[in-house]
Amino acid sequence: MKLKSNEPFWLIKNGLMYSYPSLQANINTDILIVGSGITGSLIAHQCINAGHKVVLVDRRELVNGSSSATTSMLQYEIDVPLYKLIELVGEKQAVTCYQACATSITELDTIAKSIKSKAGFKNKKSLYFASSAKDLSWLKKEFEARKKAGFFVKWLNPETISNRYGIHNTHGGIISNLGASVDAFFLAHELMHYNCEKGLQIFDKTNITKVEYSSRSIKAETDKGYQIKAKKIIYCNGFESTEIIKESFVKLLSTYAIVSEQIPKSDIQKINKLLVWNTSDPYLYLRTTNDNRVLIGGEDEEFLDPEKRDKLIHKKTKKLEKEITKILPDIPFITDFSWAGTFGSTKDGLPYIGEHPDFPSSYFVLGFGGNGITFSVIGMQMVNSFLNRKKHHLSPYFKFGR
């Protein structure tokens, strides 16, 4: 499955950071992690810290899947608004999930600092604005739900949004104090390199084609015929998990993103510490980068066809350029990079983290939607509980078959 097309900004910007060998021998380990994106790197970090012997493999070069194409916006907001999630799963459950995402942003900041990361983690505010008058009623309902849940939010009218942030063509919106951005591609590489020095074994270009499961262990085989025996296997392979789990549990879609040329810092000062997204369906989202560019994404399509998707990049680029001109008319936006990628949408906006009845000795950590990175942090904490044979309070909300 091709998860991205053209070359995303992060991959060009950072290049080949570290190189690792492919697997060329049979090996034994405590834990086998499949997938080297931000999820796999965080899970490996946790497992190494807990004293486990860990092997991580990826069928590609490291971090060349979805984590190289992500917009890396860290939000406590889930793709399904809080008031809707309350209707779906109940108030206590919904608020707990939102609070877990909020906590994970702080946790990721702590992790980044602990490894002396240079991935540019930056705390930001988050603006969720109404793109049309018809969305105002439910967005204000969302504002009240968040306020009741204890999140520090304020309602801003269109004039305030325009004067404070230079963002036009809104109908009002919610401003939250909690949000962040990071270069997830860079951070994933940093985490893996850091943990290699602590015993993590990494093999890229190593494609697992067969896994034998038992109640106490697994045996994986690569396309070159080498075997990896482990007590547990943890799948952190995102959308490619649909190749393993045949039931329908996530809807895969195509999304598009563009990044501008570098812009004078004074021109983007008003939005430099802000994440922005709107109520359009599909929604648009934007942020600045640490090297003074503007990134905007959206224009999602409800299909997964790499050839068809790629043919739309030029058309989608033009549409996104038109949108950025309407929203930020005072910023000189000239496209420097454009790409497409795959993302997933679940029925309730929540991830799938935990065991699956068809795969003994296995865990899945599959974060989808706009919260992929924050879900990965939550998954790291949940896996730690699983490996210690402890229950986690979020398991009922993130389990398969929920």
Side-chain angles (χ1 to χ4, degrees):
M1 185 182 295
K2 190 177 181 184
L3 299 182
K4 59 184 176 57
S5 51
N6 284 0
E7 293 302 335
F9 168 67
W10 310 111
L11 188 56
I12 298 294
K13 177 177 178 287
N14 297 311
L16 183 63
M17 292 181 61
Y18 301 103
S19 185
Y20 299 90
S22 58
L23 182 65
Q24 298 294 326
N26 297 332
I27 55 173
N28 296 314
T29 188
D30 294 336
I31 296 168
L32 170 61
I33 296 173
V34 180
S36 67
I38 189 65
T39 305
S41 64
L42 283 167
I43 300 299
H45 181 69
Q46 175 61 53
C47 290
I48 289 292
N49 277 347
H52 300 289
K53 185 179 179 182
V54 185
V55 168
L56 183 150
V57 302
D58 198 297
R59 62 171 64 169
R60 306 179 184 81
E61 293 277 358
L62 291 201
V63 206
N64 265 235
S66 295
S67 290
S68 68
T70 177
T71 53
S72 296
M73 292 170 61
L74 310 178
Q75 299 169 283
Y76 75 92
E77 301 103 323
I78 295 168
D79 282 352
V80 173
L82 178 57
Y83 84 92
K84 281 190 176 181
L85 191 60
I86 289 172
E87 294 171 359
L88 285 172
V89 302
E91 184 172 9
K92 179 183 177 182
Q93 295 91 326
V95 171
T96 297
C97 292
Y98 263 70
Q99 288 173 337
C101 287
T103 302
S104 71
I105 296 173
T106 304
E107 177 66 17
L108 190 63
D109 188 16
T110 301
I111 292 169
K113 288 175 179 174
S114 73
I115 65 169
K116 296 180 171 59
S117 170
K118 296 180 181 179
F121 184 99
K122 185 183 291 185
N123 289 301
K124 297 187 175 185
K125 293 184 177 182
S126 175
L127 174 66
Y128 188 25
F129 73 83
S131 54
S132 68
K134 64 179 177 63
D135 295 333
L136 271 176
S137 60
W138 71 256
L139 189 59
K140 286 187 176 179
K141 187 176 181 180
E142 175 67 6
F143 169 71
E144 294 298 334
R146 293 190 194 180
K147 190 175 179 180
K148 181 182 178 183
F151 294 105
F152 187 82
V153 291
K154 290 184 178 180
W155 181 265
L156 302 183
N157 60 39
E159 293 76 19
T160 301
I161 293 172
S162 177
N163 293 334
R164 188 178 297 178
Y165 301 115
I167 298 172
H168 298 260
N169 288 294
T170 78
H171 294 266
I174 304 168
I175 189 74
S176 302
N177 271 9
L178 185 60
S181 64
V182 72
D183 182 338
F185 178 92
F186 199 102
L187 180 59
H189 269 290
E190 286 181 315
L191 282 164
M192 286 182 285
H193 181 70
Y194 176 87
N195 285 291
C196 272
E197 298 178 353
K198 295 180 175 293
L200 174 65
Q201 291 181 275
I202 297 176
F203 302 98
D204 68 3
K205 297 180 181 176
T206 298
N207 186 22
I208 291 177
T209 55
K210 180 182 177 183
V211 179
E212 295 178 10
Y213 303 90
S214 72
S215 60
R216 302 185 68 177
S217 64
I218 65 95
K219 182 168 69 176
E221 186 173 314
T222 73
D223 56 356
K224 301 292 178 60
Y226 299 110
Q227 293 183 348
I228 306 170
K229 293 181 180 179
K231 296 175 184 176
K232 297 287 183 181
I233 184 170
I234 305 176
Y235 289 102
C236 303
N237 54 347
F239 316 114
E240 289 179 337
S241 61
T242 57
E243 298 174 10
I244 303 166
I245 304 171
K246 299 306 180 183
E247 69 204 52
S248 178
F249 66 99
V250 60
K251 185 178 183 179
L252 299 184
L253 306 100
S254 296
T255 191
Y256 299 82
I258 58 175
V259 174
S260 72
E261 294 180 358
Q262 288 181 309
I263 298 171
K265 194 171 183 179
S266 58
D267 288 349
I268 57 173
Q269 187 173 1
K270 287 185 175 181
I271 60 167
N272 204 26
K273 294 184 178 180
L274 192 68
L275 307 176
V276 182
W277 55 313
N278 70 7
T279 58
S280 297
D281 186 15
Y283 63 81
L284 290 174
Y285 46 93
L286 68 91
R287 54 162 288 201
T288 58
T289 67
N290 287 351
D291 60 344
N292 302 322
R293 303 170 188 264
V294 175
L295 184 159
I296 180 171
E299 283 296 318
D300 305 339
E301 290 285 349
E302 294 188 356
F303 62 78
L304 180 63
D305 181 327
E307 185 176 349
K308 182 180 178 183
R309 179 189 63 197
D310 293 359
K311 287 180 179 179
L312 288 175
I313 290 178
H314 178 73
K315 179 181 177 181
K316 295 294 187 178
T317 295
K318 294 301 178 184
K319 284 190 174 183
L320 289 170
E321 288 172 342
K322 186 176 180 180
E323 289 296 328
I324 199 76
T325 301
K326 288 194 297 185
I327 296 170
L328 296 170
D330 302 326
I331 291 180
F333 189 101
I334 300 173
T335 301
D336 207 7
F337 298 88
S338 59
W339 68 91
T342 300
F343 78 102
S345 174
T346 62
K347 60 186 178 182
D348 50 16
L350 300 177
Y352 285 89
I353 302 174
E355 297 177 289
H356 189 288
D358 295 341
F359 304 93
S361 301
S362 306
Y363 301 116
F364 291 84
V365 183
L366 310 174
F368 298 110
N371 295 72
I373 298 174
T374 51
F375 287 151
S376 297
V377 177
I378 295 170
M380 176 188 72
Q381 299 158 347
M382 292 178 70
V383 164
N384 187 51
S385 295
F386 300 155
L387 293 174
N388 286 307
R389 299 180 180 179
K390 295 180 180 178
K391 293 182 178 180
H392 195 280
H393 69 283
L394 291 173
S395 290
Y397 316 145
F398 297 169
K399 68 180 182 179
F400 289 92
R402 59 178 182 263

